[in-house]
Amino acid sequence: MSSMFELLMELPLFQGVSHDTMARIVGNAKFHFLKFPAGETIIRAGEPCRHITFVISGSVRSTVVNNSGSFAVSQLLRAPAVLAPDFLFGRVTAHPATVVAEEPTSILQISKADYISILYADTVFMFNYLNLLSVNAQKAQVGILSLTTGDVDERIAFWITALTQKGGEDIRLTCRSRELCSLFNTPRSLFVAALEGMKRRGLLDFSNTELRIRDRDAMLALLNSSSEPSEGA
């Protein structure tokens, strides 16, 4: 039982609580543990978000695709990780990404009603969740400014950090280069020059159809450091 508590206390949004508090939460809330083999779909984009979902072992690939299917961003998330926690509440409560097990993976699901009870059970849970929501909201404002006034590399950094989450690895942006130039409203020559500069700095690799991000934290640092909040939770 102690090892299970330690595992839960390492999960994003649960960090910082006491062992006694976690024991009380486990006794009152219903925790659903599920296992998935490599290659199996865990969540499909557009499904109602009725649970908060944690990856507790293994890893998953989460992919966001636009309506036309011409643009996709995927990321590898390793345990411990939380999947799209900011879509549990609000006007849009549907999963934004399709999530597939990259290897044998275990997840924990907690219903929305039980998670609300957990938030009220201890202020640490509430502060963790509010901090995550605030960081994401503030990041969006900074990113919009970079789209209108920033360099091409800052615009790319915004798209990558906005569509992925803290801890994301092996990030891939898949789209034809011509459409990317249109998306970023940049002549092809300037766009390619920006990509070549980012490659020389060790930030990414690229082809005509894909950008592969080497370091998400470095991409985040490209945004204005004076106004970009540090990511929490």
Side-chain angles (χ1 to χ4, degrees), residues 71 73 139-140 142-147 150-165 171 173 180 183-184 191 194-195 198 201 203-204 211 213 215-225 228 231:
F71 177 93
V73 174
K139 183 174 62 180
V142 173
I144 292 299
L145 296 177
S146 75
L147 288 177
D151 294 333
V152 176
D153 53 358
E154 291 178 332
R155 300 180 197 179
I156 294 172
F158 167 64
W159 279 94
I160 294 301
T161 55
L163 294 175
T164 60
Q165 63 187 69
I171 297 170
L173 189 160
L180 280 176
L183 177 68
F184 291 109
F191 186 72
L195 292 181
M198 296 174 80
R201 283 140 60 195
L203 299 175
L204 55 74
L211 308 184
I213 309 306
D215 187 343
R216 183 182 182 276
D217 289 341
M219 298 294 285
L220 186 64
L222 285 177
L223 301 178
N224 191 330
S225 60
E228 170 68 16
E231 292 183 315

Side-chain angles (χ1 to χ4, degrees), residues 167-231:
E169 303 175 17
D170 189 24
I171 297 170
R172 307 171 189 176
L173 189 160
T174 304
C175 185
R176 290 183 297 181
S177 58
R178 180 178 61 186
E179 294 177 347
L180 280 176
C181 293
S182 176
L183 177 68
F184 291 109
N185 193 27
T186 304
R188 178 176 172 78
S189 59
L190 292 179
F191 186 72
V192 172
L195 292 181
E196 290 176 343
M198 296 174 80
K199 182 176 181 178
R200 285 194 299 271
R201 283 140 60 195
L203 299 175
L204 55 74
D205 293 309
F206 68 95
S207 67
N208 286 332
T209 58
E210 185 177 73
L211 308 184
R212 298 194 69 164
I213 309 306
R214 296 182 182 177
D215 187 343
R216 183 182 182 276
D217 289 341
M219 298 294 285
L220 186 64
L222 285 177
L223 301 178
N224 191 330
S225 60
S226 63
S227 55
E228 170 68 16
S230 299
E231 292 183 315

